[in-house]
Amino acid sequence: MSPAGRRPGDSGTREAILTAAREGFSAAGYRGTSLRAIAREAGVDPALITHYFGSKDALFEAALALPLDPGALVPLLLAEGLDGLGDRIVRAFLAVWDGTPGQGPMLAMLRSAVTHEDSAERLRELLTRVLLRPLAEGAGKGDAELRAALLASQVAGLAVARYVLKIEPLASATADQLAPLLGPTLQRYLTGALA
Amino acid sequence: MSPAGRRPGDSGTREAILTAAREGFSAAGYRGTSLRAIAREAGVDPALITHYFGSKDALFEAALALPLDPGALVPLLLAEGLDGLGDRIVRAFLAVWDGTPGQGPMLAMLRSAVTHEDSAERLRELLTRVLLRPLAEGAGKGDAELRAALLASQVAGLAVARYVLKIEPLASATADQLAPLLGPTLQRYLTGALA
DNA sequence: AACAGAATTCATCATGCGTAGAGTTCTACG
DNA sequence: CGTAGAACTCTACGCATGATGAATTCTGTT
């Protein structure tokens, strides 16, 4: 049909592939998404993906690169003091997920973490080292590891319940509704008495 | 190699297939596990799986059949009153997961729920209708749906953090250590003030 | 104007998949 | 015994997959 050879002008093919890949991976996970499906979605020949990224694994890697730096979030959250920290964490979390176009990379990370052992390790690393532990240490109440883990459990649970299982009314609640519900839990995990 | 035809004696082939299937599905999810791999693991011809179960979907269904009745748990938990309910839920949850041989069906359910849209629906149904909502209604403080959803979020989060992401020290903590940490959260979601 | 190299298509390979069907051997029941 | 049917193996089909290599067309630099 279409002739071979380079197209004139600036075709944002690479980006189109990445977008389609994120969509696919976040919807069906790594194995559930074929290169051909991604190519079809992106309106592109399958071989182009190999051409650009080398392999499916490399594409996956590239698609999961987060568009934001989670490390930058921590000082921002801590800047306003410990009061209402839990509340602000809930809001920040929801803002990131709901704000990310199509929730692509986020859901993809979660989905693949649950299936792919390597991804689970990477997500654990990212979550604990860059995000949760700094938060818990910033709170300065000791037991940083434990507090970070508890925080992770409630935050991950929110993600699963809201975005994967879509349990109502959690799934369609607004940040204003959720913050006072979950905030106190996080606050206690971070700054409260534990035993 | 091996001759065709029926083997003498009682070969627990069906069970072997189910075991291998649970192992596979819980380790790599639905798509990530092939019938041939299951058959190899079970030391069995792939066609036997079709013979016994009809299709991969049906096998999946059969492998996920829970060995326990979650509905029976609720009255047990509620029987001892509302005091310490959260605590008891944490303990029951851990007992079920840690007690289930190989955590097979449990992890498989979680893993596939995250990948497979249908499984997500089934898990949501099971969780909310049979387990969480009866609990929240049994607590009798109103807002049963919302309380059930919040409960789900913390419980699912515990599962993900402990069994999938394996975040320490959550992953290797005992029930006695976790109950006082997470119990109050669940207690508040079920019986506490919400807004 | 020439040319290296990037972008793109196509045809193709080997592999693995889920499933179906035919054939063989054993068991259970009459 | 005889025979229905369950347990089991083998072969094969059609399809999708990830990857490769050659061919073609455009772009940027000299």
Side-chain angles (χ1 to χ4, degrees):
Chain A
M1 289 281 150
S2 349
R6 187 172 188 163
R7 301 285 166 278
D10 184 11
S11 63
T13 299
R14 227 191 113 100
E15 281 312 307
I17 292 175
L18 274 178
T19 302
R22 289 202 188 93
E23 217 161 297
F25 288 141
S26 73
Y30 182 80
R31 307 221 191 199
T33 309
S34 71
L35 289 186
R36 288 166 147 94
I38 293 173
R40 209 178 310 125
E41 175 79 24
V44 143
D45 190 278
L48 254 189
I49 298 182
T50 298
H51 174 59
Y52 275 121
F53 299 94
S55 75
K56 188 183 183 182
D57 270 315
L59 207 217
F60 186 66
E61 196 80 18
L64 285 200
L66 284 188
L68 78 148
D69 177 14
L73 219 63
V74 177
L76 225 74
L77 288 168
L78 286 172
E80 302 180 39
L82 296 187
D83 257 22
L85 217 203
D87 210 277
R88 291 200 300 281
I89 293 178
V90 175
R91 289 174 191 279
F93 177 80
L94 291 176
V96 167
W97 276 70
D98 293 334
T100 303
Q103 296 160 8
M106 294 300 176
L107 255 182
M109 263 200 141
L110 183 61
R111 283 229 155 85
S112 53
V114 175
T115 312
H116 217 247
E117 181 64 29
D118 293 355
S119 300
E121 268 178 45
R122 223 181 26 219
L123 183 54
R124 177 178 53 221
E125 266 300 287
L126 190 69
L127 275 181
T128 59
R129 226 194 49 232
V130 192
L131 202 57
L132 302 175
R133 245 176 68 119
L135 265 179
E137 275 171 357
K141 300 280 180 179
D143 292 314
E145 289 221 343
L146 177 57
R147 289 179 190 274
L150 290 170
L151 187 56
S153 80
Q154 177 62 86
V155 167
L158 173 58
V160 170
R162 178 178 169 99
Y163 299 105
V164 177
L165 296 181
K166 301 198 179 99
I167 297 178
E168 293 295 354
L170 248 183
S172 37
T174 65
D176 282 337
Q177 294 171 319
L178 288 181
L181 293 171
L182 294 165
T185 296
L186 302 186
Q187 190 74 38
R188 171 169 160 265
Y189 288 161
L190 282 174
T191 66
L194 287 184
Chain B
M1 289 287 146
S2 348
R6 188 171 188 165
R7 301 284 166 278
D10 184 12
S11 65
T13 300
R14 227 190 112 99
E15 280 314 307
I17 292 176
L18 274 178
T19 302
R22 288 204 190 92
E23 216 162 299
F25 288 141
S26 74
Y30 183 79
R31 306 220 189 196
T33 308
S34 71
L35 290 186
R36 288 166 148 93
I38 294 173
R40 211 178 308 126
E41 178 78 14
V44 144
D45 189 279
L48 251 191
I49 299 182
T50 299
H51 173 60
Y52 274 121
F53 298 94
S55 75
K56 188 183 182 180
D57 270 315
L59 206 218
F60 187 64
E61 196 81 16
L64 286 200
L66 284 187
L68 78 146
D69 176 15
L73 220 62
V74 176
L76 226 76
L77 288 168
L78 285 172
E80 301 179 39
L82 296 187
D83 257 23
L85 218 202
D87 208 277
R88 292 201 299 280
I89 293 177
V90 175
R91 289 174 191 280
F93 177 80
L94 292 175
V96 168
W97 276 70
D98 293 335
T100 304
Q103 296 160 8
M106 294 300 177
L107 255 183
M109 262 198 141
L110 183 62
R111 283 226 154 87
S112 53
V114 175
T115 311
H116 214 249
E117 181 64 29
D118 294 354
S119 301
E121 268 178 45
R122 224 185 21 224
L123 183 52
R124 177 179 53 222
E125 267 300 288
L126 190 69
L127 275 181
T128 59
R129 226 195 51 231
V130 193
L131 203 57
L132 301 177
R133 243 173 70 115
L135 266 179
E137 274 172 358
K141 300 281 180 180
D143 291 314
E145 289 221 345
L146 177 57
R147 290 179 189 275
L150 290 170
L151 187 57
S153 80
Q154 178 61 87
V155 167
L158 173 57
V160 170
R162 179 178 168 98
Y163 298 106
V164 177
L165 296 180
K166 301 197 181 103
I167 297 178
E168 293 295 352
L170 248 184
S172 37
T174 65
D176 283 336
Q177 294 170 320
L178 289 182
L181 294 171
L182 294 167
T185 296
L186 301 187
Q187 190 74 39
R188 172 170 159 265
Y189 289 160
L190 282 175
T191 66
L194 286 185

